[in-house]
Amino acid sequence: MRLIPNRRRLISALRRTFTRHRLLFAAKTALAAGLAWYLAPFMPGPAAAYPYYAPLGALVSMHPTVADSAKHGFQSLLGLSLGIGMAFAVTTFADPSSFSVALVIGLGVLIGGLPRLGTASEWIPMAALFVLLLGDSNAENFSFGYVLQMALGVAVGLTVNWLIIPPLHLEQVDPALEGHRNALSRQLRDMAQAMQESWPPNHEAWASRSDLLDTTAAGVRTAVYQAELSAKANPRSRRRATRLPQDLAGLRTVERLTFHVQDITDVLQSVIWEEGAGTVIPDSVLSNLSEALESVADVIDRWRSDEELELEPALAESRDCVAALGDAINEAAAGQASVNAAASVAMSLRRMITVLSSK
């Protein structure tokens, strides 16, 4: 019986690994490496004697986005140049030995700690070590061939990645936004239900759900960032990435909504479970508070969904519900009841409506 769940997990893991994007990326990387190896013998002078560095250059330059390919490719060449220069400096006074190997590695790691080097920091000690140990008496020709073949590979990798269906990661944004939108509305609905139950309420999962909201919000940030990054230097972005400004606006919206939902969660947690905190909600306000929470959850459900045409009526209803909550709070305050907690929640709900109204 245990084999079935294990098999299902294995199949699920394979599906997540062998996606369409991953298969295409693997095929493009293989093509770039093969093409670089084919072109390597045509490099001028002593560089033709070191063809194996061309596929390596293609490999290090291949990344899921065109912008990353250019960035890491150029950083790799920068690291090579710095490492080779350092190796030449060391070989002027030391032959290959335990001391010189330790020296170039130590200096390479030290120089690699400089800011903004990125991938270059990994290549500095590696290039210095290769020149020191493999270049030997032919260090000049080796270095020339090393850099030129790596540059060829990087150029081939960039060209392949740019010309052959350059990735544009837009399809991940909508599922991420939908997942977070559902998490926010569910949180508000669970709190609305808690306002109608005897305290402590039977349903308490919402009180410890901040980590889930942080996780789904982080998923949205990652998806939008990847979409934005994939559009840079991408020839397909002109036709298909016009929606990026909307996605960036959507990210800002969910971040603001998340802040207010978490603030409401903290307040209601204190009201229900922290007896000595001085945060209470009058009984006369609970019904209106529950309705207001439910109405804003309904607006969130309609935002950026198939029901977005019904967003304006839902907004109007939520404004009425929050206004009714404000009236109930004023009446409770007139009766000398403590309304600070209820007023704080009402303010957060108004701000959420304002955020959603501007979209």
Side-chain angles (χ1 to χ4, degrees), residues 185-195 197 201 203 205-206 209 293-294:
S185 63
R186 178 187 175 191
Q187 181 76 349
L188 290 176
R189 285 198 165 89
D190 284 354
M191 291 188 289
Q193 183 178 354
M195 295 304 99
E197 297 176 352
H203 302 86
W206 59 268
R209 209 178 281 155
L293 290 166
E294 187 75 34

Side-chain angles (χ1 to χ4, degrees), residues 4-332:
I4 296 178
N6 289 337
R7 184 182 301 171
R8 289 175 179 172
R9 284 195 293 268
L10 176 60
I11 293 174
S12 177
L14 290 174
R15 286 177 177 173
R16 289 194 301 269
T17 301
F18 297 106
T19 61
R20 178 173 59 87
H21 283 300
R22 194 65 184 176
L23 291 172
L24 176 61
F25 180 63
K28 290 167 60 176
T29 304
L31 174 62
L35 186 58
W37 176 259
Y38 172 78
L39 295 174
F42 298 101
M43 289 294 98
Y50 306 98
Y52 34 84
Y53 289 115
L56 179 61
L59 179 62
V60 301
S61 70
M62 292 298 292
H63 285 264
T65 66
V66 176
D68 271 343
S69 287
K71 175 183 175 183
H72 289 282
F74 290 130
Q75 285 179 346
S76 298
L77 294 178
L78 173 62
L80 286 177
S81 301
L82 291 174
I84 290 171
M86 184 182 65
F88 269 104
V90 172
T91 55
T92 58
F93 63 85
D95 294 326
S97 64
S98 298
F99 170 75
S100 59
V101 167
L103 181 61
V104 296
I105 293 297
L107 289 176
V109 172
L110 187 63
I111 296 173
L114 293 173
R116 298 186 179 181
L117 285 181
T119 307
S121 63
E122 302 171 6
W123 284 94
I124 295 172
M126 187 183 304
L129 183 64
F130 281 8
V131 170
L132 179 66
L133 298 183
L134 301 180
D136 199 13
S137 60
N138 197 28
E140 184 175 344
N141 287 338
F142 174 81
S143 301
F144 175 76
Y146 191 6
V147 172
L148 193 60
Q149 293 288 12
M150 285 288 291
L152 169 66
V154 168
V156 170
L158 284 174
T159 302
V160 169
N161 211 14
W162 190 80
L163 289 179
I164 302 178
I165 316 178
L168 198 58
H169 302 291
L170 301 179
E171 70 279 1
Q172 300 170 1
V173 176
D174 284 339
L177 280 170
E178 181 180 1
H180 190 61
R181 187 184 70 230
N182 292 338
L184 290 173
S185 63
R186 178 187 175 191
Q187 181 76 349
L188 290 176
R189 285 198 165 89
D190 284 354
M191 291 188 289
Q193 183 178 354
M195 295 304 99
Q196 297 176 336
E197 297 176 352
S198 58
W199 289 357
N202 296 325
H203 302 86
E204 302 179 5
W206 59 268
S208 58
R209 209 178 281 155
S210 289
D211 289 343
L212 174 61
L213 294 179
D214 288 337
T215 300
T216 54
V220 175
R221 284 192 292 272
T222 300
V224 173
Y225 172 76
Q226 288 296 329
E228 185 181 22
L229 183 63
S230 69
K232 293 180 179 179
N234 193 321
R236 301 169 65 207
S237 63
R238 296 180 182 178
R239 299 192 303 272
R240 301 181 57 189
T242 54
R243 52 171 282 180
L244 274 177
Q246 296 177 349
D247 291 336
L248 290 171
L251 172 61
R252 290 190 290 269
T253 297
V254 299
E255 287 179 336
R256 294 172 68 185
L257 292 176
T258 302
F259 171 81
H260 293 305
V261 170
Q262 289 179 323
D263 188 60
I264 292 173
T265 302
D266 291 341
V267 171
L268 295 184
Q269 276 183 305
S270 177
V271 168
I272 296 173
W273 285 287
E274 297 179 16
E275 296 181 1
T279 50
V280 296
I281 293 181
D283 292 342
S284 59
V285 174
L286 290 175
S287 177
N288 293 103
L289 177 56
S290 177
E291 291 177 2
L293 290 166
E294 187 75 34
S295 68
V296 175
D298 192 47
V299 175
I300 293 176
D301 278 338
R302 284 168 168 71
W303 174 69
R304 287 182 69 110
S305 72
D306 295 336
E307 301 179 355
E308 193 164 8
L309 293 176
E310 302 176 16
L311 181 61
E312 288 302 324
L315 280 168
E317 182 179 350
S318 66
R319 291 190 187 98
D320 292 341
C321 289
V322 174
L325 172 61
D327 293 340
I329 291 172
N330 290 334
E331 291 179 9

